[in-house]
Amino acid sequence: MLVIRRAAERYHADHGWLNSNFSFSFADYYDPAQMGFRALRVINEDYVAPAQGFGKHPHRDMEILTYVLEGAVKHEDTTGASETLTPGELQHMSAGSGVRHSEMNPSETETLHLLQIWLVPNALGIQPKYEQQRFKVQDEPNKLHLLASKDAREGSFKIYSDAELLAATVEKGSSVTHDFKGGYGWLQVARGSVTVQGHALKAGDGVAITAEKTLQISSDEGGEVLLFDLD
């Protein structure tokens, strides 16, 4: 079963320097029917104005992933990490027992466009950590790349959550297929457009997937997707 959450159905918040679209309840947006899906708690699409960003603030007991689509983000946190993240890279932070961090747009001219993802952890109070890595999602299209998993296989990040994150760039006229471990998943269209089980989806659309063994993702025009395999 597929339940589609269209891009236009998301909550939109405009703070001037920040434009955000929330797939699930977040900050001032509360909808008891949209509290996440399985371990996926937050997936926000953010547009951050030049030289603006999220000042240092605290988190704990959450697995946080950042996927940059355009521009760059300057990250600093209390683990000592100070890095700049660009498209093609994924950032992972285990907030664990507590961490403070900032995420800023270092450009004076370019807007930062990113997906912010929170996963509910399966272990509490762990030591905070930060890591980032470049993956070949754009360099090797028509293939699902494993970005994060519980066992760090295939060079993916080790995360403390009952979830795996995969991503693919699907070229025009091509497709990819995924076999779910437990039958639950969430698909987020990051760019372009794709077709899933006969449903046409565009950038910003999300799909909750239940009791599906296999998912085929195809595209007539080209698209990029994030796929969560959820226990």
Side-chain angles (χ1 to χ4, degrees):
M1 182 176 71
L2 275 60
V3 178
I4 299 173
R5 175 84 153 143
R6 295 291 182 186
E9 296 171 349
R10 298 175 298 175
Y11 179 81
H12 177 68
D14 184 352
H15 300 285
W17 66 273
L18 171 67
N19 266 281
S20 294
N21 296 290
F22 303 154
S23 293
F24 305 120
S25 295
F26 185 83
D28 294 333
Y29 167 54
Y30 174 72
D31 181 347
Q34 300 292 344
M35 295 301 296
F37 186 71
R38 313 294 288 186
L40 179 59
R41 176 60 188 85
V42 167
I43 183 159
N44 296 346
E45 183 175 16
D46 292 337
Y47 295 84
V48 183
Q52 299 291 327
F54 305 92
K56 194 159 282 187
H57 57 283
H59 290 294
R60 64 177 301 125
D61 291 326
M62 193 66 69
E63 295 291 285
I64 300 172
L65 299 164
T66 302
Y67 193 82
V68 177
L69 295 170
E70 296 175 283
V73 58
K74 174 65 177 176
H75 170 92
E76 293 184 351
D77 68 42
T78 48
T79 72
S82 179
E83 304 286 349
T84 299
L85 190 75
T86 57
E89 294 181 289
L90 179 70
Q91 175 195 99
H92 169 229
M93 185 172 65
S94 291
S97 59
V99 66
R100 292 177 60 83
H101 74 118
S102 62
E103 310 291 340
M104 306 296 294
N105 181 354
S107 174
E108 296 291 333
T109 58
E110 293 186 24
T111 297
L112 166 62
H113 180 197
L114 60 83
L115 295 176
Q116 179 186 170
I117 299 154
W118 291 9
L119 295 166
V120 177
N122 56 21
L124 302 179
I126 65 173
Q127 183 173 343
K129 73 171 182 178
Y130 174 87
E131 55 190 341
Q132 71 182 61
Q133 182 177 325
R134 182 168 296 280
F135 291 92
K136 296 182 178 180
V137 178
Q138 287 79 35
D139 300 335
E140 297 180 0
N142 309 318
K143 172 185 176 182
L144 279 164
H145 296 262
L146 183 63
L147 309 187
S149 64
K150 290 187 286 187
D151 56 8
R153 70 185 187 282
E154 301 176 21
S156 62
F157 289 143
K158 177 180 174 61
I159 57 173
Y160 296 90
S161 182
D162 295 324
E164 292 186 349
L165 171 60
L166 306 98
T169 297
V170 185
E171 293 180 316
K172 180 179 179 179
S174 298
S175 65
V176 295
T177 302
H178 179 67
D179 296 323
F180 288 103
K181 289 182 171 58
Y184 295 97
W186 180 275
L187 177 79
Q188 188 73 27
V189 184
R191 309 179 208 260
S193 60
V194 298
T195 299
V196 177
Q197 319 294 67
H199 299 281
L201 306 170
K202 64 179 183 178
D205 288 348
V207 184
I209 303 158
T210 303
E212 296 284 342
K213 292 183 178 180
T214 301
L215 194 75
Q216 184 179 61
I217 307 160
S218 61
S219 182
D220 292 332
E221 301 295 334
E224 183 176 346
V225 298
L226 300 185
L227 180 62
F228 298 85
D229 193 324
L230 305 167
D231 289 357

